[in-house]
Amino acid sequence: MSSTSARKTGAGAATRGRPWGRTPAWLAAAAAALLTPSRAAAAPPRAAVQLEYRRAPGTERCPDEGLLREELARQLGYDPVAPEAALQTKALVFRGPAREVHAAMELHDAEGSIAWSRHLVAYNDDCRELVMNMALSLRVALDPSLRVQPAPAPLPAPAPPVEPAAEAPARPSGPGVSVGLAGAAVFGILPDTTAGTALHVALRYPSFSLGLEGHFQWPAAVQIDRSGLVTTWLAAANAIPCSQIRRLFACAVVSIGVVETSGSNIELVDTPSLWLATGPRAGVEMPFSDRISVQLYGDLVLRLTEFRIEGPSGVLWAPPASGGLVGVRVDFHLHPRREAPARRAPVVARGAWAPH
């Protein structure tokens, strides 16, 4: 075998021993990519901050800035304190009125505005524990991954139901009217205690009324001597404005009328017969139904005109300057005419979603 044949034989044997021949470049690149370890995920950005740590008088034994910086670096995994940082942290340690130790912390942004602040207290006079808590709070402020994310906005509430339009109750078109009949015991006005009757008419409002009353006081007889008898009676018209709070009422009474005197077996001298008086009234009203009520009241009567019984020999009787009466009256109420019912506007339930 020649040398040429030997070389060919060797070359063919080598080719048959490598069945794929030369490896393609793309396959080699893919294999290298699969066999190369993947790079670690990108590290989160590091915070940088200036640190100003001060101890107020009385806290000189508390740890200095070194412990706060060391603990903050341990928790973050790096030292965030940099003199040229845009953020600035100010921390002050001071004592309270008792054994507690306080720490006030602020984080200022690049414009100098306060972006974060905290107030911490150690009640057991342990400054080291306080500094550890300061480092933890500052770590939360500097590490965005530890901040509490805001809660999602609540879904809008459904629209509130709308009540159908309804008719408002009819309102009175004027004051009520009451008519009453009264009986009273009257004293200090005529020579003797007598009975009185009155017919009362009033315009009534919720807390006010204006009444007009016709009052008649039954005759009172007084024995002058063995055969002489004097009889006196009174008739008057009263104007009565009243103010009422629930069942109690108070009034002012103005009375004008005449007093008539007659004698039997005795001669009398004509005396003025004009009656003018005023005074307060107070009482209580007790309703029995929406149509009927009863009033119990009392009057103080202040006489404004002169009145006396006089005979030829002189004054036979003169009344005191004031008197009074106690009465009871039954009122019948006539309700005012009412307007036609009005349409009430639809009412929408108000809530947090309703416009104000």
Side-chain angles (χ1 to χ4, degrees), residues 43-55:
R46 293 189 173 190
V49 64
Q50 300 180 42
L51 179 60
E52 179 184 333
Y53 176 86
R54 293 186 299 125
R55 292 174 292 182

Side-chain angles (χ1 to χ4, degrees), residues 206-270:
S207 60
F208 177 79
S209 67
L210 180 60
L212 186 62
E213 187 175 78
H215 173 79
F216 178 77
Q217 188 168 342
W218 292 92
V222 56
Q223 189 78 32
I224 300 301
D225 52 27
R226 293 184 178 181
S227 60
L229 186 65
V230 177
T231 303
T232 308
W233 55 272
L234 169 67
N238 302 334
I240 312 173
C242 295
S243 176
Q244 184 160 350
I245 301 177
R246 296 185 178 178
R247 296 187 179 183
L248 303 178
F249 61 89
C251 312
V253 181
V254 177
S255 178
I256 184 171
V258 294
V259 179
E260 291 294 335
T261 303
S262 61
S264 176
N265 298 324
I266 189 172
E267 183 181 357
L268 298 178
V269 177
D270 292 337

Side-chain angles (χ1 to χ4, degrees), residues 8-241:
K8 289 181 178 180
T9 303
T15 302
R16 289 192 300 269
R18 191 173 53 196
W20 293 306
R22 182 177 295 177
T23 305
W26 65 269
L27 185 61
L34 291 175
L35 295 177
T36 301
S38 59
R39 280 189 267 173
R46 293 189 173 190
V49 64
Q50 300 180 42
L51 179 60
E52 179 184 333
Y53 176 86
R54 293 186 299 125
R55 292 174 292 182
T59 61
E60 292 82 0
R61 299 181 60 183
C62 292
D64 58 8
E65 176 183 340
L67 179 61
L68 176 60
R69 185 170 176 176
E70 177 185 346
E71 180 64 20
L72 183 60
R74 187 187 66 79
Q75 295 191 24
L76 286 173
Y78 62 92
D79 185 4
V81 178
E84 304 298 329
L87 299 179
Q88 183 182 15
T89 297
K90 296 182 179 181
L92 174 65
V93 178
F94 59 95
R95 285 199 173 275
R99 290 177 52 84
E100 70 270 13
V101 186
H102 299 252
M105 305 176 65
E106 293 180 350
L107 181 63
H108 296 254
D109 58 16
E111 288 75 21
S113 301
I114 299 177
W116 170 88
S117 65
R118 284 293 183 274
H119 181 201
L120 305 176
V121 183
Y123 292 98
N124 54 358
D125 198 18
D126 191 344
C127 287
R128 183 178 180 84
E129 177 186 350
L130 180 65
V131 173
M132 295 295 184
N133 292 336
M134 292 168 64
L136 178 60
S137 296
L138 188 56
R139 176 202 172 189
V140 174
L142 296 176
D143 191 347
S145 64
L146 298 179
R147 298 176 188 171
V148 178
Q149 300 297 324
L155 296 176
V162 179
E163 296 181 2
E167 290 187 353
R171 296 177 297 174
S173 60
V177 178
S178 66
V179 179
L181 184 63
V186 187
F187 50 89
I189 296 177
L190 297 183
D192 196 5
T193 299
T194 59
T197 58
L199 180 63
H200 183 90
V201 179
L203 298 178
R204 297 175 64 99
Y205 296 87
S207 60
F208 177 79
S209 67
L210 180 60
L212 186 62
E213 187 175 78
H215 173 79
F216 178 77
Q217 188 168 342
W218 292 92
V222 56
Q223 189 78 32
I224 300 301
D225 52 27
R226 293 184 178 181
S227 60
L229 186 65
V230 177
T231 303
T232 308
W233 55 272
L234 169 67
N238 302 334
I240 312 173

